Amino acid sequence: MHNGSTTDYDALIIGGGPAGQAAAIELANLRLRCAVIDEQARPGGQILRQPPASFEASHWAEEASYRPLKQQLHQFETQSGIDWLGRRSVIGLQSDGTSHSVLISGANGLQQFTAPHVLIAAGCYDLPVAIPGWTLPGAMGAGAMQTLLKAQGILTGERIALAGTHPLMLLIAAQIHAAGGTVAEVAFDQPFTRFAKAMGRNLGTGLRHAGLLAEAGKAMLTLRRAGVPVRFGRKLQGIIGREQVAGAIFAAGATEEQIACDSIGLCYGFLPQSDLLRQAGLAVEWAAPAGGWAARHDDWMQSSTPGLWVAGETTGVAGAPIAREEGRIAGLGIARALERITPEDAAEQAKSSRTVLRKMAGFADLLAGLADPREALTRIQPPETLICRCENVSAAAIGDVLRETQDANAIKRITRCGMGACQGRSCEHALLRMIARETGQSVGQQPGFTARFPARPVSIGDLLEHDLQ
Amino acid sequence: MWLAEQASPGHGASGQNAGSLHFQIERRFLEREGGLGYEGEQTARLSRIAVEDWSSLETTMDIDLNIHMNGGLMVAHSAAEVELLEAKAAREQAMGLSVETIDAAEVQRRAPYLSPDILAANFMAAEGHADARIIAPTFTQAARSAGARIFTGTRITALRKHGGHFSATMESRGPAQAGGSSRPAKTETRRITAAKVLICSGIWSRQLAAMAGLHLPLFPAPLTMNVTQRRDPFLPYLIQHVGRRLSMKQASAGNVLIGGGWPSRMWRNEHEFDFTRPPALVAESLAGNLKAAVETMPGIVDFDLLRSWTGITAVTQDQLPVAGEFPAMPGLFCAAGGSAFTLGPTFARLVSRQILEQDRAEADALLSVASPARFESLNGFMGQ
Amino acid sequence: MTRRSDIMHRPAPVKIELDGEPVEAYPGESLTAVLAAVRHSQSRIDDAGKPRGFWCNMGTCSECFVWLMDDEAGGGRARSVRACLLDVVAGMRVHTGRAQPDA
């Protein structure tokens, strides 16, 4: 077996997005050896998801906000001293106090690495929004729609709709339009006044010109000029179709309106990837407003377990510019812990990142407030709505049990919700909202599922061929 | 009848075990003292009753419990193991358990997915499995319908006997619901009195007995279970191994459950084991369990492992369960210890008869092997 | 057509086998891209007989598990893999659905 079990690395980095890259670059600059593990074949993360090496994209990630990220990606790809372990999934993370072991699954079986430091920069994923029809072919997370376009040159339909609360929808719609696709509608759940108010409050701060919001503003103009409807206060009730998506139903006031589309991207926000955090027993907290479990950390991005570090969306979804600075600080923190850099030098070098983080904090809050999906997500699902996609568990089946118990693990045992291949990543969020509704508490006060090994299904043959000791 | 559950029904070992209904003498008893131990024989006696209890459970309770009793195969890979099987079967037959020894060809005929290296197996038609994840919640519903008051999210914080009756303090937390209607928003404390008390709290039973001032020497056994992705039904039997730690069965939903008593690692506080955290998975146990599974059923090598989990069961030093009344404290009963999933309904039925004084002598006799009376040597030191 | 050639230059197409049918795809392309192009993003039929789409295209949702047949790296076994993390290779054979197909 391709057993790469070594302790040669000073640090292992899980995730090759902006945070993981930034940390790796810091470590490599200080001549520390690290490996970066990622499920994608090439580095970039979701934000800079690269086309296959055999493809050649024109106009790839051209928008201005991508520029600094592309510079960093180039630096990462050309920097020596970083081992890239692409197309591999981390399925296990265990800590024995002084060293941490990471079990990795790939096409050639398993590999186990141990290192004194592990950085979890695993990013985030599209918030799964359990509404009627969300399982139909053609309905997907808006991020899926965007990565198919960006990295594969694929439009997912002839008439594509986007619905949700997150301004990223505008960018995706503009990208679809630019690629020659037809956008049926961009439907914001919230009223336009929420945007206007938030922008108004921040008129003097310059925040509304920052990053994603500036891009979103530009995109809005482009879409309007192209005659693409961008509407507000459109509350998505369900997606219809038999074999595939055929349309979407919105409630506007007391009436319902149906639009025709053959693909729809749902864009209500993003959840931190938290299965490894929770498998390793790290302290997490509920990440309001969108939700999910975010890692707690100290000033150097060290988690509640010494030697395990966190950066980027894993600590709460705040966007790539913030993820990058957190990754840098984590890299410096690891080098500091390894005594490769003095505490004074580390503090000095981290200053610029901390300044950016302070400046960006207001932007992250503004964006989170604008994109707040809670009102949309607390709407009651019709009983037939599938909550657990893996095990076909409906809202009705969970509702029956909710009166008896409000413990996520108990509900899992009784209904099988969360027992499938995704380990609850697709349903836990909706289930916790149902529990909160039942108990009258706020979401996240009740714990979620107990995280179990393996984080991704793995063949028994692979597990056995590998020496698991 | 009041029932207090600190979390929710099935939260502990009863919901986390792999759901085997195993009535053959277990490997753990066979490997002791180089042969068939007294303990194995005694639990086999209880197994005979348990077979009847599980066979009639769905009818008497009029509920669907996903019980499958299509038979169980305990397999052997070596000549020495075959000898063990034969001796075991002879003993079981003498005790009235219907067990036959089948040869390699017959094993292949009945279960062609098992390894051709298997030399023989004991077959017992009554073995099988039930869905551990739904048993406790379903029983809870039935108990409630029968008039019991169920308090979930409720811990016992004090338990003692005054004169002829017991008093207990119950603390209900969080969103747990009481009875079926009212739902305390925050911690609610209740004092209750009862003529009789049954401790059936798995590994926590020891602490509850201690509250009452008694020794109940139960020890945590942190175990590992595994489940594969769903497959179309192919495995009607419970599969066990006479010489290796292994149990395999296919759940109603299609997943194959793989267990067999492989250890996991308890978390520890400064002074004691921490029962509140799920034990940590041990790589050697995972590998050992899967290796035993593949050596017994080679095709399973292609299956994806979906989830490994750990749970804590409770065992006594003599590995026999504990069921019955404490002689040192009349009115206090216990039902806990190993094999309590398979033997649970039987304990429930017989201990209830003891509590209610119905055909008590017969129930006492049947449970004598599990009686807490064997801890009298310890509890004799305990002043009340 | 959902594959855009103006923004993405692809190498010459190759043949793969999807559920026993020959399908044209591009070396290096992800299998979810193939499913988007030829199956309207359908990844499976669920236990209730309903067609399912994938959700995340990033390895997380587990909706896109397919069987990669006679996989060399897996010792010639069929392997259950996520379509979104599977790159097209000429001649590869892929089956959708939960049941492991006969080789």
Side-chain angles (χ1 to χ4, degrees):
Chain A
M1 201 65 239
H2 309 268
N3 186 345
S5 180
T6 63
T7 48
D8 287 350
Y9 293 114
D10 297 304
L12 296 166
I13 297 174
I14 302 169
Q21 290 164 25
I25 290 168
E26 289 301 324
L27 293 168
N29 281 339
L30 292 163
R31 302 194 171 283
L32 290 166
R33 287 208 3 101
C34 68
V36 181
I37 307 150
D38 200 294
E39 290 193 314
Q40 295 305 321
R42 302 177 69 188
Q46 299 305 316
I47 186 105
L48 286 186
R49 181 101 157 242
Q50 299 202 63
S54 53
F55 285 25
E56 201 180 311
S58 47
H59 312 293
W60 182 74
E62 268 185 334
E63 291 85 345
S65 60
Y66 291 125
R67 213 169 293 144
L69 300 173
K70 284 166 84 174
Q71 280 165 7
Q72 178 178 276
L73 176 60
H74 178 73
Q75 191 184 348
F76 177 81
E77 287 185 313
T78 49
Q79 177 108 31
S80 62
I82 301 171
D83 282 356
W84 172 251
L85 301 174
R87 275 283 181 266
R88 289 167 172 89
S89 301
V90 176
I91 59 170
L93 174 60
Q94 270 204 336
S95 179
D96 75 350
T98 54
S99 89
H100 314 283
S101 107
V102 173
L103 191 61
I104 299 165
S105 158
N108 291 313
L110 299 189
Q111 290 168 287
Q112 188 167 27
F113 292 102
T114 57
H117 297 278
V118 175
L119 168 63
I120 305 158
C124 60
Y125 63 104
D126 288 278
L127 191 158
V129 189
I131 58 162
W134 74 304
T135 53
L136 277 170
M140 62 188 76
M145 199 171 256
Q146 190 187 27
T147 50
L148 275 169
L149 179 57
K150 193 155 50 176
Q152 302 282 338
I154 293 273
L155 288 171
T156 55
E158 304 286 341
R159 268 181 70 78
I160 302 172
L162 286 142
T165 57
H166 202 286
L168 179 67
M169 284 198 290
L170 292 166
L171 257 77
I172 299 173
Q175 287 162 353
I176 290 168
H177 174 71
T182 302
V183 178
E185 173 170 339
V186 181
F188 281 93
D189 192 283
Q190 63 271 50
F192 183 70
T193 47
R194 203 196 306 169
F195 272 74
K197 268 189 205 150
M199 292 298 189
R201 271 199 305 274
N202 290 280
L203 262 182
T205 65
L207 287 177
R208 66 205 186 99
H209 300 301
L212 176 64
L213 284 184
E215 297 287 357
K218 271 188 243 165
M220 173 99 104
L221 285 177
T222 309
L223 293 168
R224 283 259 155 93
R225 258 183 236 127
V228 172
V230 178
R231 297 194 181 130
F232 291 83
R234 301 274 282 171
K235 301 184 186 318
L236 181 63
Q237 303 296 294
I239 301 163
I240 52 170
R242 291 174 76 84
E243 294 301 308
Q244 61 181 64
V245 172
I249 298 174
F250 295 96
T255 59
E256 279 195 347
E257 191 193 327
Q258 189 176 320
I259 66 161
C261 58
D262 60 355
S263 181
I264 183 166
L266 302 181
C267 196
Y268 292 78
F270 302 89
L271 306 181
Q273 297 275 12
S274 66
D275 27 23
L276 294 173
L277 308 173
R278 292 151 74 191
Q279 201 186 98
L282 305 186
V284 294
E285 57 195 30
W286 187 252
W293 301 100
R296 292 205 187 131
H297 57 84
D298 66 13
D299 283 351
W300 289 101
M301 308 311 293
Q302 186 162 235
S303 75
S304 57
T305 295
L308 292 180
W309 307 72
V310 290
E313 318 291 35
T314 305
T315 68
V317 177
I322 288 178
R324 189 166 63 136
E325 304 305 333
E326 287 188 351
R328 242 197 109 227
I329 294 173
L332 290 167
I334 292 170
R336 182 177 173 269
L338 286 165
E339 298 183 357
R340 182 56 62 101
I341 182 172
T342 65
E344 294 74 25
D345 285 351
E348 186 59 32
Q349 290 189 35
K351 256 187 191 167
S352 61
S353 289
R354 295 193 195 283
T355 306
V356 176
L357 288 183
R358 261 195 307 279
K359 278 190 188 154
M360 297 290 296
F363 169 75
D365 289 347
L366 169 63
L367 184 58
L370 278 180
D372 188 343
R374 281 178 293 195
E375 194 203 315
L377 297 177
T378 44
R379 268 174 231 137
I380 311 271
Q381 296 99 343
E384 70 277 11
T385 314
L386 277 189
I387 301 293
C388 171
R389 299 175 69 119
C390 300
E391 298 288 321
N392 276 25
V393 184
S394 67
I398 292 166
D400 288 345
V401 176
L402 263 179
R403 286 184 289 278
E404 295 290 325
T405 176
Q406 298 85 38
D407 169 357
N409 285 313
I411 295 167
K412 173 178 172 177
R413 279 194 302 276
I414 297 168
T415 65
R416 300 187 63 89
C417 176
M419 267 194 182
C422 89
Q423 289 272 35
R425 288 183 288 271
S426 300
C427 63
E428 185 190 42
H429 183 269
L431 176 63
L432 288 176
R433 288 195 186 276
M434 291 180 79
I435 289 172
R437 202 150 59 206
E438 181 72 18
T439 61
Q441 293 178 310
S442 55
V443 196
Q445 274 182 270
Q446 291 294 313
F449 300 132
T450 304
R452 301 292 191 187
F453 174 88
R456 304 284 188 263
V458 59
S459 97
I460 288 176
D462 282 355
L463 280 165
L464 282 181
E465 281 176 49
H466 176 74
D467 179 9
L468 280 171
Q469 313 307 311
Chain B
M1 222 300 292
W2 285 25
L3 187 151
E5 157 62 50
Q6 62 171 349
S8 53
H11 175 81
S14 59
Q16 294 188 320
N17 75 93
S20 296
L21 301 179
H22 54 87
F23 304 116
Q24 300 186 51
I25 298 174
E26 289 177 69
R27 180 201 56 79
R28 63 177 167 143
F29 295 124
L30 296 176
E31 72 185 9
R32 287 153 63 91
E33 298 151 23
L36 292 165
Y38 162 81
E39 296 88 351
E41 189 169 304
Q42 291 302 312
T43 43
R45 204 178 296 283
L46 286 168
S47 293
R48 204 178 56 206
I49 311 166
V51 170
E52 292 162 30
D53 282 334
W54 279 103
S55 310
S56 57
L57 209 50
E58 285 180 326
T59 325
T60 53
M61 292 183 70
D62 195 23
I63 41 177
D64 185 4
L65 293 164
N66 280 354
I67 299 172
H68 300 272
M69 295 169 80
N70 300 321
L73 286 159
M74 190 180 283
V75 303
H77 266 90
S78 71
E81 287 173 353
V82 175
E83 268 179 43
L84 206 51
L85 279 184
E86 281 165 350
K88 170 182 143 304
R91 186 71 65 95
E92 286 163 334
Q93 282 154 8
M95 290 162 45
L97 285 173
S98 175
V99 172
E100 58 173 326
T101 304
I102 58 175
D103 64 12
E106 184 60 15
V107 169
Q108 284 302 312
R109 200 188 63 77
R110 293 190 197 188
Y113 37 81
L114 291 182
S115 165
D117 297 340
I118 289 169
L119 300 180
N122 276 170
F123 180 76
M124 183 175 178
E127 284 194 317
H129 55 93
D131 216 337
R133 63 189 181 84
I134 61 164
I135 293 282
T138 313
F139 279 17
T140 306
Q141 292 264 28
R144 186 175 288 145
S145 305
R149 290 194 67 188
I150 314 282
F151 296 84
T152 57
T154 299
R155 288 190 315 137
I156 300 295
T157 54
L159 172 65
R160 56 178 306 181
K161 192 174 184 187
H162 309 271
H165 69 276
F166 292 86
S167 71
T169 308
M170 291 171 31
E171 226 177 70
S172 301
R173 285 161 301 115
Q177 85 178 26
S181 52
S182 67
R183 186 175 301 136
K186 49 179 193 275
T187 302
E188 189 177 310
T189 304
R190 288 188 193 77
R191 297 283 307 272
I192 56 164
T193 59
K196 290 175 182 176
V197 172
L198 169 62
I199 298 173
C200 46
S201 318
I203 189 54
W204 286 273
S205 301
R206 184 181 188 141
Q207 281 130 294
L208 283 157
M211 283 181 201
L214 290 179
H215 286 302
L216 176 52
L218 284 169
F219 302 93
L223 300 180
T224 310
M225 274 74 56
N226 307 284
V227 63
T228 72
Q229 275 183 316
R230 293 169 171 224
R231 290 298 181 95
D232 291 336
F234 73 97
L235 173 63
Y237 305 120
L238 169 70
I239 307 292
Q240 298 182 89
H241 202 293
V242 70
R244 300 174 199 185
R245 296 178 190 214
L246 180 69
S247 74
M248 278 194 283
K249 81 228 36 153
Q250 189 172 23
S252 311
N255 317 75
V256 177
L257 288 153
I258 305 171
W262 288 85
S264 54
R265 190 174 65 238
M266 297 287 298
W267 293 97
R268 293 170 285 257
N269 301 324
E270 203 172 325
H271 301 295
E272 56 190 6
F273 292 119
D274 182 354
F275 299 148
T276 61
R277 291 180 71 181
L281 195 62
V282 171
E284 292 85 341
S285 288
L286 176 62
N289 201 351
L290 297 180
K291 184 163 178 280
V294 171
E295 284 168 354
T296 301
M297 192 190 292
I300 208 165
V301 75
D302 282 345
F303 287 36
D304 273 4
L305 175 73
L306 203 58
R307 197 164 57 249
S308 298
W309 74 99
T310 59
I312 308 170
T313 186
V315 292
T316 53
Q317 201 265 337
D318 59 15
Q319 301 228 28
L320 288 172
V322 189
E325 190 172 21
F326 286 89
M329 191 173 284
L332 185 66
F333 297 79
C334 177
S339 300
F341 184 76
T342 295
L343 298 178
T346 303
F347 289 161
R349 196 170 55 78
L350 295 177
V351 173
S352 295
R353 277 167 57 183
Q354 292 179 325
I355 292 172
L356 298 170
E357 302 286 348
Q358 293 174 348
D359 303 322
R360 167 109 201 214
E362 193 196 2
D364 285 354
L366 291 170
L367 285 179
S368 62
V369 60
S371 170
R374 65 192 193 276
F375 310 128
E376 278 303 281
S377 54
L378 300 167
N379 284 325
F381 295 113
M382 305 302 286
Q384 297 301 326
Chain C
M1 289 307 289
T2 54
R3 280 192 185 100
R4 305 297 302 189
S5 53
D6 43 351
I7 53 168
M8 194 67 78
H9 179 74
R10 297 174 174 82
V14 294
K15 283 274 191 312
I16 64 169
E17 206 184 282
L18 183 61
D19 293 325
E21 299 290 323
V23 164
E24 202 164 79
Y26 297 87
E29 188 170 43
S30 82
L31 206 84
T32 38
V34 178
L35 293 174
V38 307
R39 289 269 177 92
H40 197 84
S41 304
Q42 180 181 314
S43 54
R44 65 183 178 112
I45 304 282
D46 72 15
D47 287 351
K50 300 266 174 62
R52 286 292 188 90
F54 51 82
W55 169 257
C56 78
N57 191 38
M58 56 178 284
T60 298
C61 74
S62 302
E63 274 285 3
C64 70
F65 271 98
V66 295
W67 290 98
L68 174 60
M69 305 305 292
D70 40 54
D71 173 43
E72 256 177 63
R77 304 197 298 263
R79 290 168 72 93
S80 175
V81 294
R82 283 162 286 171
C84 63
L85 302 179
L86 181 60
D87 307 321
V88 164
V89 173
M92 77 197 298
R93 297 195 300 135
V94 172
H95 279 267
T96 60
R98 194 183 81 218
Q100 183 176 350
D102 298 327

